[in-house]
Structures are given as C-alpha cells and as structure tokens.
Amino acid sequence: VFSRIISFTQEGAYAARGVIIFSNSYPEITQQIITKLGRGVSQIQTTGAFSKEQGQAIYCVVSPSELTSLKRIVEAVDKHAFVSILTVNEAIGEGFTYAQPQRSFFKRRF
C-alpha cells in the first residue's frame, strides 16, 4: 500500500491504458471501437516470429473507465483475440488533453 501511495505521489493522478489487440477480426474490432467508444485506433503491421504469418495489431489508448467496454467489444467479436493492456504514464493529444483557459491574477482593462 505504501509503495502505491509513493508511486501515486511521484507519477500523479494521471491514468490511461494502452491496449494492443491481436486478432484476425481487426477490421470489425476497429470499427466497433471507433463507433461505440469514440476512440481513435492505430493499426500496426505485424509478423509472427514463430509462424512468420503477416497480420494486423490494433493499438488504442482508453481511460480506465472505458477498459471494460473495450474488453467486451473485443470478446464479442473474437473470443480468441490476444489482448495486452499497458499502463500509460502520459498521453498527449486529442481526447486526452484539453487546452486549459489561461487565467491571470490581474485582469487587464482596455
């Protein structure tokens, strides 16, 4: 518990999950993620080291609250998909960062 508190203090409260999905049903999974979660998806060209088969992997970054929905989408489309879930320390870009209004202590009068 103490180590988790220290990590939280050092790393901050930011939380996101990077998900890599390996499935032959990648087109349908991709479409479902885009339409149901409204998240962007990247497709990565893959080659199996043992099988030498070409394929596609899906990479998506979601908030922890969206993770269950994402896993349900994948399971509904392909029960045999391989899913790797990673902790993301920081995600910068549309959907994860928003421009904060600049506030000044002193208001300018023109």
Side-chain angles (χ1 to χ4, degrees):
V1 173
F2 183 70
S3 67
R4 296 291 289 178
I5 292 170
I6 295 297
S7 295
F8 180 80
T9 303
Q10 290 176 338
E11 296 172 11
Y14 185 84
R17 301 292 180 261
V19 182
I20 304 172
I21 305 160
F22 295 89
S23 171
N24 290 333
S25 302
Y26 67 89
E28 187 177 348
I29 294 171
T30 297
Q31 192 58 42
Q32 295 282 330
I33 293 170
I34 291 169
T35 57
K36 291 186 177 178
L37 293 181
R39 288 289 177 195
V41 174
S42 294
Q43 293 177 338
I44 304 165
Q45 192 75 16
T46 62
T47 304
F50 179 75
S51 68
K52 306 294 187 227
E53 290 182 23
Q54 298 290 317
Q56 293 280 335
I58 301 166
Y59 180 71
C60 184
V61 177
V62 297
S63 68
S65 63
E66 296 170 314
L67 192 55
T68 302
S69 298
L70 179 63
K71 289 193 283 186
R72 285 184 183 144
I73 288 169
V74 173
E75 187 172 356
V77 175
D78 182 1
K79 292 184 187 311
H80 301 289
F82 179 81
V83 180
S84 178
I85 301 169
L86 314 161
T87 300
V88 175
N89 290 325
E90 186 173 8
I92 300 170
E94 187 175 343
F96 286 93
T97 58
Y98 299 97
Q100 297 291 323
Q102 297 293 326
R103 295 185 182 178
S104 174
F105 183 72
F106 299 103
K107 292 186 178 182
R108 289 182 152 165
R109 294 184 185 190
F110 295 98

PDB file of all heavy atoms in Angstrom, residues 62-86:
ATOM      1  N   VAL A  62      -7.208   4.185 -23.920  1.00  0.00           N
ATOM      2  CA  VAL A  62      -8.517   4.474 -23.323  1.00  0.00           C
ATOM      3  C   VAL A  62      -8.349   4.856 -21.865  1.00  0.00           C
ATOM      4  O   VAL A  62      -7.313   4.581 -21.254  1.00  0.00           O
ATOM      5  CB  VAL A  62      -9.472   3.257 -23.436  1.00  0.00           C
ATOM      6  CG1 VAL A  62      -9.765   2.921 -24.879  1.00  0.00           C
ATOM      7  CG2 VAL A  62      -8.917   2.048 -22.715  1.00  0.00           C
ATOM      8  N   SER A  63      -9.375   5.447 -21.314  1.00  0.00           N
ATOM      9  CA  SER A  63      -9.387   5.727 -19.883  1.00  0.00           C
ATOM     10  C   SER A  63      -9.731   4.437 -19.146  1.00  0.00           C
ATOM     11  O   SER A  63     -10.333   3.531 -19.728  1.00  0.00           O
ATOM     12  CB  SER A  63     -10.404   6.824 -19.558  1.00  0.00           C
ATOM     13  OG  SER A  63     -11.706   6.340 -19.778  1.00  0.00           O
ATOM     14  N   PRO A  64      -9.367   4.326 -17.878  1.00  0.00           N
ATOM     15  CA  PRO A  64      -9.689   3.110 -17.132  1.00  0.00           C
ATOM     16  C   PRO A  64     -11.185   2.797 -17.109  1.00  0.00           C
ATOM     17  O   PRO A  64     -11.572   1.635 -17.116  1.00  0.00           O
ATOM     18  CB  PRO A  64      -9.171   3.404 -15.721  1.00  0.00           C
ATOM     19  CG  PRO A  64      -8.055   4.370 -15.934  1.00  0.00           C
ATOM     20  CD  PRO A  64      -8.512   5.219 -17.096  1.00  0.00           C
ATOM     21  N   SER A  65     -12.022   3.817 -17.132  1.00  0.00           N
ATOM     22  CA  SER A  65     -13.467   3.578 -17.122  1.00  0.00           C
ATOM     23  C   SER A  65     -13.973   2.989 -18.436  1.00  0.00           C
ATOM     24  O   SER A  65     -15.041   2.386 -18.474  1.00  0.00           O
ATOM     25  CB  SER A  65     -14.221   4.873 -16.803  1.00  0.00           C
ATOM     26  OG  SER A  65     -13.994   5.846 -17.808  1.00  0.00           O
ATOM     27  N   GLU A  66     -13.227   3.139 -19.520  1.00  0.00           N
ATOM     28  CA  GLU A  66     -13.613   2.596 -20.821  1.00  0.00           C
ATOM     29  C   GLU A  66     -13.056   1.191 -21.062  1.00  0.00           C
ATOM     30  O   GLU A  66     -13.440   0.523 -22.021  1.00  0.00           O
ATOM     31  CB  GLU A  66     -13.122   3.505 -21.952  1.00  0.00           C
ATOM     32  CG  GLU A  66     -13.746   4.882 -21.941  1.00  0.00           C
ATOM     33  CD  GLU A  66     -13.073   5.822 -22.913  1.00  0.00           C
ATOM     34  OE1 GLU A  66     -11.828   5.866 -22.947  1.00  0.00           O
ATOM     35  OE2 GLU A  66     -13.809   6.526 -23.640  1.00  0.00           O
ATOM     36  N   LEU A  67     -12.151   0.751 -20.193  1.00  0.00           N
ATOM     37  CA  LEU A  67     -11.463  -0.516 -20.408  1.00  0.00           C
ATOM     38  C   LEU A  67     -12.410  -1.708 -20.441  1.00  0.00           C
ATOM     39  O   LEU A  67     -12.294  -2.579 -21.309  1.00  0.00           O
ATOM     40  CB  LEU A  67     -10.394  -0.716 -19.333  1.00  0.00           C
ATOM     41  CG  LEU A  67      -9.401  -1.838 -19.558  1.00  0.00           C
ATOM     42  CD1 LEU A  67      -8.693  -1.707 -20.900  1.00  0.00           C
ATOM     43  CD2 LEU A  67      -8.389  -1.856 -18.424  1.00  0.00           C
ATOM     44  N   THR A  68     -13.383  -1.748 -19.547  1.00  0.00           N
ATOM     45  CA  THR A  68     -14.343  -2.853 -19.530  1.00  0.00           C
ATOM     46  C   THR A  68     -15.151  -2.898 -20.826  1.00  0.00           C
ATOM     47  O   THR A  68     -15.350  -3.965 -21.399  1.00  0.00           O
ATOM     48  CB  THR A  68     -15.281  -2.741 -18.314  1.00  0.00           C
ATOM     49  OG1 THR A  68     -14.488  -2.745 -17.128  1.00  0.00           O
ATOM     50  CG2 THR A  68     -16.269  -3.882 -18.260  1.00  0.00           C
ATOM     51  N   SER A  69     -15.586  -1.746 -21.305  1.00  0.00           N
ATOM     52  CA  SER A  69     -16.335  -1.697 -22.567  1.00  0.00           C
ATOM     53  C   SER A  69     -15.476  -2.184 -23.723  1.00  0.00           C
ATOM     54  O   SER A  69     -15.962  -2.910 -24.596  1.00  0.00           O
ATOM     55  CB  SER A  69     -16.810  -0.268 -22.845  1.00  0.00           C
ATOM     56  OG  SER A  69     -17.685   0.163 -21.841  1.00  0.00           O
ATOM     57  N   LEU A  70     -14.213  -1.797 -23.731  1.00  0.00           N
ATOM     58  CA  LEU A  70     -13.319  -2.231 -24.799  1.00  0.00           C
ATOM     59  C   LEU A  70     -13.135  -3.747 -24.770  1.00  0.00           C
ATOM     60  O   LEU A  70     -13.200  -4.410 -25.812  1.00  0.00           O
ATOM     61  CB  LEU A  70     -11.970  -1.536 -24.673  1.00  0.00           C
ATOM     62  CG  LEU A  70     -10.916  -1.918 -25.705  1.00  0.00           C
ATOM     63  CD1 LEU A  70     -11.360  -1.531 -27.104  1.00  0.00           C
ATOM     64  CD2 LEU A  70      -9.592  -1.299 -25.375  1.00  0.00           C
ATOM     65  N   LYS A  71     -12.943  -4.314 -23.595  1.00  0.00           N
ATOM     66  CA  LYS A  71     -12.783  -5.769 -23.489  1.00  0.00           C
ATOM     67  C   LYS A  71     -14.052  -6.491 -23.928  1.00  0.00           C
ATOM     68  O   LYS A  71     -13.973  -7.544 -24.574  1.00  0.00           O
ATOM     69  CB  LYS A  71     -12.398  -6.154 -22.058  1.00  0.00           C
ATOM     70  CG  LYS A  71     -10.973  -5.741 -21.708  1.00  0.00           C
ATOM     71  CD  LYS A  71     -10.468  -6.375 -20.435  1.00  0.00           C
ATOM     72  CE  LYS A  71     -11.023  -5.727 -19.209  1.00  0.00           C
ATOM     73  NZ  LYS A  71     -10.427  -6.243 -17.953  1.00  0.00           N
ATOM     74  N   ARG A  72     -15.208  -5.927 -23.635  1.00  0.00           N
ATOM     75  CA  ARG A  72     -16.470  -6.540 -24.083  1.00  0.00           C
ATOM     76  C   ARG A  72     -16.592  -6.514 -25.600  1.00  0.00           C
ATOM     77  O   ARG A  72     -17.066  -7.470 -26.212  1.00  0.00           O
ATOM     78  CB  ARG A  72     -17.656  -5.829 -23.440  1.00  0.00           C
ATOM     79  CG  ARG A  72     -17.834  -6.181 -21.989  1.00  0.00           C
ATOM     80  CD  ARG A  72     -19.061  -5.537 -21.412  1.00  0.00           C
ATOM     81  NE  ARG A  72     -19.158  -5.841 -19.994  1.00  0.00           N
ATOM     82  CZ  ARG A  72     -19.612  -5.016 -19.087  1.00  0.00           C
ATOM     83  NH1 ARG A  72     -20.037  -3.815 -19.413  1.00  0.00           N
ATOM     84  NH2 ARG A  72     -19.646  -5.367 -17.814  1.00  0.00           N
ATOM     85  N   ILE A  73     -16.178  -5.421 -26.212  1.00  0.00           N
ATOM     86  CA  ILE A  73     -16.212  -5.313 -27.670  1.00  0.00           C
ATOM     87  C   ILE A  73     -15.331  -6.390 -28.291  1.00  0.00           C
ATOM     88  O   ILE A  73     -15.748  -7.113 -29.198  1.00  0.00           O
ATOM     89  CB  ILE A  73     -15.753  -3.911 -28.137  1.00  0.00           C
ATOM     90  CG1 ILE A  73     -16.821  -2.865 -27.804  1.00  0.00           C
ATOM     91  CG2 ILE A  73     -15.414  -3.892 -29.626  1.00  0.00           C
ATOM     92  CD1 ILE A  73     -16.358  -1.431 -27.977  1.00  0.00           C
ATOM     93  N   VAL A  74     -14.110  -6.519 -27.793  1.00  0.00           N
ATOM     94  CA  VAL A  74     -13.175  -7.497 -28.347  1.00  0.00           C
ATOM     95  C   VAL A  74     -13.713  -8.910 -28.177  1.00  0.00           C
ATOM     96  O   VAL A  74     -13.713  -9.711 -29.114  1.00  0.00           O
ATOM     97  CB  VAL A  74     -11.776  -7.358 -27.700  1.00  0.00           C
ATOM     98  CG1 VAL A  74     -10.855  -8.474 -28.160  1.00  0.00           C
ATOM     99  CG2 VAL A  74     -11.172  -6.004 -28.032  1.00  0.00           C
ATOM    100  N   GLU A  75     -14.212  -9.223 -26.983  1.00  0.00           N
ATOM    101  CA  GLU A  75     -14.715 -10.578 -26.735  1.00  0.00           C
ATOM    102  C   GLU A  75     -15.937 -10.906 -27.582  1.00  0.00           C
ATOM    103  O   GLU A  75     -16.099 -12.036 -28.033  1.00  0.00           O
ATOM    104  CB  GLU A  75     -15.042 -10.772 -25.258  1.00  0.00           C
ATOM    105  CG  GLU A  75     -15.398 -12.211 -24.956  1.00  0.00           C
ATOM    106  CD  GLU A  75     -15.536 -12.501 -23.478  1.00  0.00           C
ATOM    107  OE1 GLU A  75     -15.282 -11.621 -22.656  1.00  0.00           O
ATOM    108  OE2 GLU A  75     -15.927 -13.639 -23.166  1.00  0.00           O
ATOM    109  N   ALA A  76     -16.805  -9.921 -27.811  1.00  0.00           N
ATOM    110  CA  ALA A  76     -17.998 -10.159 -28.624  1.00  0.00           C
ATOM    111  C   ALA A  76     -17.635 -10.464 -30.076  1.00  0.00           C
ATOM    112  O   ALA A  76     -18.314 -11.246 -30.741  1.00  0.00           O
ATOM    113  CB  ALA A  76     -18.929  -8.956 -28.563  1.00  0.00           C
ATOM    114  N   VAL A  77     -16.557  -9.864 -30.565  1.00  0.00           N
ATOM    115  CA  VAL A  77     -16.152 -10.067 -31.957  1.00  0.00           C
ATOM    116  C   VAL A  77     -15.258 -11.294 -32.104  1.00  0.00           C
ATOM    117  O   VAL A  77     -15.419 -12.089 -33.020  1.00  0.00           O
ATOM    118  CB  VAL A  77     -15.439  -8.810 -32.508  1.00  0.00           C
ATOM    119  CG1 VAL A  77     -14.904  -9.055 -33.909  1.00  0.00           C
ATOM    120  CG2 VAL A  77     -16.374  -7.612 -32.492  1.00  0.00           C
ATOM    121  N   ASP A  78     -14.284 -11.456 -31.190  1.00  0.00           N
ATOM    122  CA  ASP A  78     -13.322 -12.554 -31.315  1.00  0.00           C
ATOM    123  C   ASP A  78     -12.913 -13.033 -29.925  1.00  0.00           C
ATOM    124  O   ASP A  78     -12.089 -12.412 -29.257  1.00  0.00           O
ATOM    125  CB  ASP A  78     -12.091 -12.087 -32.099  1.00  0.00           C
ATOM    126  CG  ASP A  78     -11.061 -13.188 -32.306  1.00  0.00           C
ATOM    127  OD1 ASP A  78     -11.284 -14.332 -31.858  1.00  0.00           O
ATOM    128  OD2 ASP A  78     -10.015 -12.889 -32.919  1.00  0.00           O
ATOM    129  N   LYS A  79     -13.481 -14.144 -29.507  1.00  0.00           N
ATOM    130  CA  LYS A  79     -13.192 -14.700 -28.179  1.00  0.00           C
ATOM    131  C   LYS A  79     -11.746 -15.177 -28.047  1.00  0.00           C
ATOM    132  O   LYS A  79     -11.242 -15.344 -26.946  1.00  0.00           O
ATOM    133  CB  LYS A  79     -14.136 -15.855 -27.871  1.00  0.00           C
ATOM    134  CG  LYS A  79     -15.576 -15.453 -27.686  1.00  0.00           C
ATOM    135  CD  LYS A  79     -16.409 -16.650 -27.280  1.00  0.00           C
ATOM    136  CE  LYS A  79     -17.887 -16.380 -27.245  1.00  0.00           C
ATOM    137  NZ  LYS A  79     -18.327 -15.222 -26.549  1.00  0.00           N
ATOM    138  N   HIS A  80     -11.060 -15.376 -29.175  1.00  0.00           N
ATOM    139  CA  HIS A  80      -9.693 -15.879 -29.156  1.00  0.00           C
ATOM    140  C   HIS A  80      -8.647 -14.788 -29.384  1.00  0.00           C
ATOM    141  O   HIS A  80      -7.461 -15.105 -29.546  1.00  0.00           O
ATOM    142  CB  HIS A  80      -9.524 -16.989 -30.194  1.00  0.00           C
ATOM    143  CG  HIS A  80     -10.453 -18.137 -29.962  1.00  0.00           C
ATOM    144  ND1 HIS A  80     -10.314 -19.006 -28.910  1.00  0.00           N
ATOM    145  CD2 HIS A  80     -11.571 -18.530 -30.631  1.00  0.00           C
ATOM    146  CE1 HIS A  80     -11.291 -19.901 -28.936  1.00  0.00           C
ATOM    147  NE2 HIS A  80     -12.065 -19.628 -29.973  1.00  0.00           N
ATOM    148  N   ALA A  81      -9.067 -13.527 -29.376  1.00  0.00           N
ATOM    149  CA  ALA A  81      -8.119 -12.430 -29.576  1.00  0.00           C
ATOM    150  C   ALA A  81      -7.133 -12.375 -28.413  1.00  0.00           C
ATOM    151  O   ALA A  81      -7.475 -12.693 -27.270  1.00  0.00           O
ATOM    152  CB  ALA A  81      -8.873 -11.106 -29.691  1.00  0.00           C
ATOM    153  N   PHE A  82      -5.910 -11.984 -28.722  1.00  0.00           N
ATOM    154  CA  PHE A  82      -4.904 -11.777 -27.689  1.00  0.00           C
ATOM    155  C   PHE A  82      -4.882 -10.285 -27.387  1.00  0.00           C
ATOM    156  O   PHE A  82      -4.705  -9.466 -28.287  1.00  0.00           O
ATOM    157  CB  PHE A  82      -3.529 -12.246 -28.160  1.00  0.00           C
ATOM    158  CG  PHE A  82      -2.451 -12.039 -27.138  1.00  0.00           C
ATOM    159  CD1 PHE A  82      -2.286 -12.944 -26.100  1.00  0.00           C
ATOM    160  CD2 PHE A  82      -1.615 -10.937 -27.202  1.00  0.00           C
ATOM    161  CE1 PHE A  82      -1.302 -12.755 -25.152  1.00  0.00           C
ATOM    162  CE2 PHE A  82      -0.634 -10.742 -26.251  1.00  0.00           C
ATOM    163  CZ  PHE A  82      -0.469 -11.650 -25.230  1.00  0.00           C
ATOM    164  N   VAL A  83      -5.084  -9.940 -26.110  1.00  0.00           N
ATOM    165  CA  VAL A  83      -5.168  -8.534 -25.702  1.00  0.00           C
ATOM    166  C   VAL A  83      -4.098  -8.271 -24.644  1.00  0.00           C
ATOM    167  O   VAL A  83      -4.021  -8.982 -23.649  1.00  0.00           O
ATOM    168  CB  VAL A  83      -6.567  -8.202 -25.131  1.00  0.00           C
ATOM    169  CG1 VAL A  83      -6.644  -6.747 -24.709  1.00  0.00           C
ATOM    170  CG2 VAL A  83      -7.649  -8.534 -26.149  1.00  0.00           C
ATOM    171  N   SER A  84      -3.291  -7.249 -24.871  1.00  0.00           N
ATOM    172  CA  SER A  84      -2.272  -6.827 -23.912  1.00  0.00           C
ATOM    173  C   SER A  84      -2.642  -5.429 -23.431  1.00  0.00           C
ATOM    174  O   SER A  84      -2.837  -4.516 -24.236  1.00  0.00           O
ATOM    175  CB  SER A  84      -0.902  -6.824 -24.591  1.00  0.00           C
ATOM    176  OG  SER A  84       0.082  -6.368 -23.697  1.00  0.00           O
ATOM    177  N   ILE A  85      -2.735  -5.262 -22.115  1.00  0.00           N
ATOM    178  CA  ILE A  85      -3.142  -3.987 -21.533  1.00  0.00           C
ATOM    179  C   ILE A  85      -1.955  -3.402 -20.789  1.00  0.00           C
ATOM    180  O   ILE A  85      -1.378  -4.043 -19.910  1.00  0.00           O
ATOM    181  CB  ILE A  85      -4.351  -4.173 -20.597  1.00  0.00           C
ATOM    182  CG1 ILE A  85      -5.516  -4.785 -21.380  1.00  0.00           C
ATOM    183  CG2 ILE A  85      -4.743  -2.844 -19.958  1.00  0.00           C
ATOM    184  CD1 ILE A  85      -6.659  -5.250 -20.520  1.00  0.00           C
ATOM    185  N   LEU A  86      -1.604  -2.177 -21.139  1.00  0.00           N
ATOM    186  CA  LEU A  86      -0.440  -1.495 -20.586  1.00  0.00           C
ATOM    187  C   LEU A  86      -0.856  -0.247 -19.818  1.00  0.00           C
ATOM    188  O   LEU A  86      -1.824   0.420 -20.196  1.00  0.00           O
ATOM    189  CB  LEU A  86       0.507  -1.080 -21.719  1.00  0.00           C
ATOM    190  CG  LEU A  86       0.805  -2.134 -22.772  1.00  0.00           C
ATOM    191  CD1 LEU A  86       1.339  -1.487 -24.025  1.00  0.00           C
ATOM    192  CD2 LEU A  86       1.774  -3.133 -22.218  1.00  0.00           C
TER     193      LEU A  86
END
